[in-house]
Amino acid sequence: MKILKKLYWVFVLAFLYMPIFVMIAFSFNQSKSRTVWTGFTLKWYVELFKNEAIIKAFFTTLIVAVIAATVATVLGTIAAVGIDAMKNWEKSLVINISYMPVVNPDIITGISLLLLFNVFRQWFDFDFGMGTLIISHITFNVPYVILSVMPKLKQMDYRVYEAALDLGCNPTQAFFKVVVPEIMPGIISGFLMALTFSIDDFIISYFNSGHAQTLPVAIYAMARRRVSPEMYALSTIMFLVILTVLFAVNIKSIKDEKKVTR
Amino acid sequence: MKTKYISAPYLLWMAIFIFAPLCLVVYFAFTDKRGNFTFENMSALSTYAPVFLRSIILAGVATVVCLVMAYPVSYFMSRMKANRQKVMMMVIMLPMWMNFLLRTYAWMSLLERNGLINKFFGLFGMGPFNMINTNGAVILGMVYNYLPFMILPLYSTMVKIDHSLVEAAQDLGGNLYHVLTKVLLPLSLPGITTGITMVFVPSCSTFVISRMLGGDSAFMIGDLIDLQFLGNSYNPHLGSAMSLVLMVLVLLCMSVTNGFADDDSEGLL
């Protein structure tokens, strides 16, 4: 039984990690082939920094993600505070519409925004590009921020806010000095979620990016012919960075827990 | 602070960028190029019924495979020590941090006719097998990409199950089958239903996986919609009709699975 269990774990983990090992291995491959191993090289890691298209796509992805996540966090946080104050039917109506981008398949969010921008283009003069990309990313990010801030608001003791008012704060001061610190963990996790979804998104960006290419869109365009090994190299670097960050965070939280239990 | 008006900027955003686009999908689905009301787009869909059916079947099979694969994983994980649970969770979620297009592309080099798996079998004088551009490859791609979406909700309901219930069932003479059907499955139902929707919805609407791993053989709803908006057969009216049907399909699937689990507190996420 124990051996079976171990074998099962090996099978599942091999399944999950096989493509990733293939990718990392072939980022060191001498030829451009994705199946034939011809020898070890680091040249793709050097080439990567000379490849303007990939570097540009990388920065587009980063800029869009940071702007979209920041705006979505602000918008989503005040939205959550407002929704929390609403009465029954208003609340459920707003929440249900807000969750549409979460519930709907991405492709539908993507094409519906495409339709909207096309209608707008009859009235205003603009092209698909950074602007449409950022707006669509904000749109699908906001629900995740609301989702992670709402529970924190529910847990919060409303009397603390009233106490701040009694002690002479005006409502704005009370909001920033009492409410915001209280719901901060929700805001931060919402921001991080928005950031990762934004960096990873392909489908919605694909329909709304126009000439501005994010990394996933660039990869898709390449995949029709051949994904260049530089892209493997970039992904390997990004993967290692994330691995290190996650490792550090986990080690820290495990250590913190041990301290608490002592 | 008890003022709901603070959310006004968001409500405006929501109305313009979430609500209005969905209304546009409905509007386009029922109009022709000149903006006249028509049912033609809807009736034209009957030609594509086989594609819809194939999408549902492929996504359905992928969902079942995911469930069967993820259930033991989640169970084993929920029985580990707290720290190890955390580490295992990280190990399972880690692949998701690499872009799914690249991971799917890597499967292409694994499954190809002169790909790595066939080379491995070739060492033993077997093959080559025909793996890429089949329905099986598409299902594999779906299972691979969405397996963590099944493990996550299953695991989070299973850690809450009191293990003494399982032990009690064993003490009272239940064999593995009985423990599973009478204790574990009923208690983990909310996780199962959430997992099913989280795997079925993206599988059913994908166009990347089918195009990369399925070749021309496995055309799906997503491919059709893509063609109407960015592809050769530009026709947003027909595309909107397809999207509307897909949306109804997804809502139907969710209401069915949520109907099974009355505990709707965890229904959506």
Side-chain angles (χ1 to χ4, degrees):
Chain A
M1 200 61 195
K2 260 205 160 154
I3 295 171
L4 269 180
K5 197 166 145 183
K6 279 230 167 90
L7 275 177
Y8 189 70
W9 272 115
V10 170
F11 165 72
V12 170
L13 291 181
F15 178 66
L16 284 175
Y17 278 88
M18 206 152 56
I20 289 176
F21 285 137
V22 168
M23 182 129 321
I24 293 176
F26 278 83
S27 76
F28 297 110
N29 191 14
Q30 212 134 48
S31 74
K32 278 200 168 189
S33 166
R34 64 177 187 218
T35 47
V36 185
W37 180 257
T38 46
F40 181 87
T41 177
L42 285 174
K43 74 175 169 191
W44 303 118
Y45 287 82
V46 181
E47 294 283 308
L48 167 67
F49 293 98
K50 294 180 199 156
N51 189 328
E52 266 177 45
I54 290 181
I55 296 294
K56 198 176 162 215
F58 176 75
F59 280 111
T60 307
T61 312
L62 220 57
I63 291 167
V64 169
V66 170
I67 294 177
T70 311
V71 176
T73 307
V74 175
L75 206 59
T77 306
I78 57 171
V81 171
I83 292 170
D84 196 53
M86 283 177 187
K87 292 281 172 308
N88 293 331
W89 69 270
E90 284 175 321
K91 200 175 188 170
S92 58
L93 179 74
V94 174
I95 287 183
N96 276 328
I97 297 178
S98 297
Y99 286 175
M100 284 313 273
V102 180
V103 175
N104 259 341
D106 281 353
I107 191 168
I108 289 182
T109 311
I111 61 110
S112 68
L113 282 164
L114 173 75
L115 285 176
L116 182 81
F117 292 136
N118 269 333
V119 169
F120 278 174
R121 261 152 58 103
Q122 294 167 1
W123 302 328
F124 311 105
D125 182 40
F126 68 92
D127 267 328
F128 279 88
M130 283 298 253
T132 52
L133 203 54
I134 289 172
I135 289 177
S136 46
H137 276 231
I138 294 171
T139 304
F140 76 75
N141 276 338
V142 172
Y144 293 104
V145 178
I146 297 179
L147 218 60
S148 61
V149 173
M150 286 284 280
K152 293 282 163 220
L153 279 169
K154 255 180 217 152
Q155 285 167 14
M156 204 188 88
D157 190 346
Y158 186 63
R159 286 168 300 185
V160 183
Y161 171 75
E162 282 169 346
L165 291 183
D166 288 346
L167 292 170
C169 276
N170 63 34
T172 322
Q173 283 174 326
F175 177 72
F176 282 108
K177 288 195 189 242
V178 175
V179 180
V180 170
E182 195 82 357
I183 59 176
M184 208 50 183
I187 297 178
I188 291 175
S189 73
F191 176 77
L192 290 177
M193 255 160 103
L195 201 65
T196 44
F197 280 120
S198 214
I199 292 176
D200 209 42
D201 172 72
F202 163 69
I203 296 172
I204 294 165
S205 312
Y206 170 71
F207 286 106
N208 295 294
S209 60
H211 294 295
Q213 270 194 335
T214 63
L215 270 182
V217 176
I219 296 170
Y220 183 72
M222 279 183 184
R224 290 181 181 170
R225 306 182 304 273
R226 175 172 298 275
V227 173
S228 66
E230 288 110 309
M231 199 57 108
Y232 290 1
L234 177 62
S235 309
T236 305
I237 296 174
M238 284 167 73
F239 188 73
L240 289 180
V241 169
I242 287 158
L243 185 68
T244 324
V245 171
L246 286 184
F247 199 70
V249 170
N250 258 34
I251 293 283
K252 193 175 173 295
S253 75
I254 286 172
K255 267 188 185 160
D256 286 350
E257 245 165 56
K258 273 189 184 153
K259 263 182 215 158
V260 172
T261 45
R262 263 179 222 159
Chain B
M1 181 188 82
K2 270 289 172 204
T3 162
K4 56 194 180 188
Y5 301 106
I6 190 177
S7 61
Y10 168 69
L11 292 182
L12 188 70
W13 183 280
M14 183 182 88
I16 299 176
F17 294 111
I18 299 178
F19 191 64
L22 291 176
C23 295
L24 273 179
V25 172
V26 179
Y27 171 78
F28 270 76
F30 289 105
T31 50
D32 61 13
K33 281 190 188 98
R34 272 186 239 107
N36 299 324
F37 179 83
T38 175
F39 269 115
E40 235 167 73
N41 303 314
M42 281 297 170
S43 53
L45 288 184
S46 57
T47 343
Y48 301 104
V51 180
F52 276 76
L53 199 65
R54 176 163 52 227
S55 307
I56 295 170
I57 292 173
L58 288 182
V61 173
T63 309
V64 172
V65 175
C66 268
L67 181 61
V68 172
M69 250 178 104
Y71 206 83
V73 172
S74 316
Y75 179 75
F76 295 152
M77 221 158 67
S78 70
R79 293 288 149 255
M80 288 173 174
K81 280 188 204 133
N83 272 343
R84 280 198 73 186
Q85 282 183 21
K86 259 192 192 162
V87 174
M88 279 325 281
M89 203 66 230
M90 199 181 94
V91 169
I92 282 168
M93 296 309 286
L94 192 59
M96 307 280 284
W97 288 90
M98 197 167 232
N99 188 275
F100 88 106
L101 288 157
L102 276 177
R103 286 181 288 135
T104 311
Y105 188 76
W107 273 111
M108 280 170 82
S109 39
L110 280 161
L111 296 175
E112 269 171 339
R113 189 143 186 93
N114 52 1
L116 299 171
I117 292 179
N118 269 333
K119 274 191 186 136
F120 176 76
F121 281 123
L123 295 179
F124 306 98
M126 289 188 288
F129 300 101
N130 199 12
M131 290 181 288
I132 200 149
N133 296 347
T134 59
N135 286 337
V138 177
I139 291 171
L140 182 134
M142 289 170 179
V143 172
Y144 176 76
N145 275 305
Y146 305 125
L147 185 65
F149 292 167
M150 183 67 91
I151 295 179
L152 205 63
L154 274 181
Y155 161 76
S156 53
T157 47
M158 277 202 233
V159 269
K160 285 187 219 141
I161 296 176
D162 187 354
H163 193 57
S164 48
L165 288 173
V166 176
E167 278 163 6
Q170 282 165 340
D171 288 348
L172 294 169
N175 55 24
L176 184 66
Y177 173 77
H178 282 130
V179 171
L180 197 64
T181 53
K182 304 264 179 200
V183 181
L184 278 179
L185 282 179
L187 286 175
S188 57
L189 202 57
I192 295 176
T193 55
T194 311
I196 288 177
T197 35
M198 282 180 78
V199 173
F200 184 79
V201 171
S203 301
C204 192
S205 61
T206 182
F207 63 97
V208 177
I209 298 171
S210 52
R211 200 163 297 166
M212 282 173 131
L213 300 176
D216 301 326
S217 71
F219 219 62
M220 294 186 49
I221 306 178
D223 299 282
L224 278 180
I225 295 177
D226 175 33
L227 278 185
Q228 310 308 322
F229 284 97
L230 293 182
N232 303 324
S233 51
Y234 181 74
N235 184 354
H237 299 274
L238 184 61
S240 296
M242 290 165 177
S243 308
L244 196 61
V245 173
L246 178 61
M247 215 150 76
V248 171
L249 204 78
V250 164
L251 288 180
L252 224 72
C253 155
M254 298 212 344
S255 58
V256 168
T257 45
N258 281 343
F260 274 115
D262 277 331
D263 181 18
D264 58 347
S265 56
E266 281 161 322
L268 272 180
L269 265 182

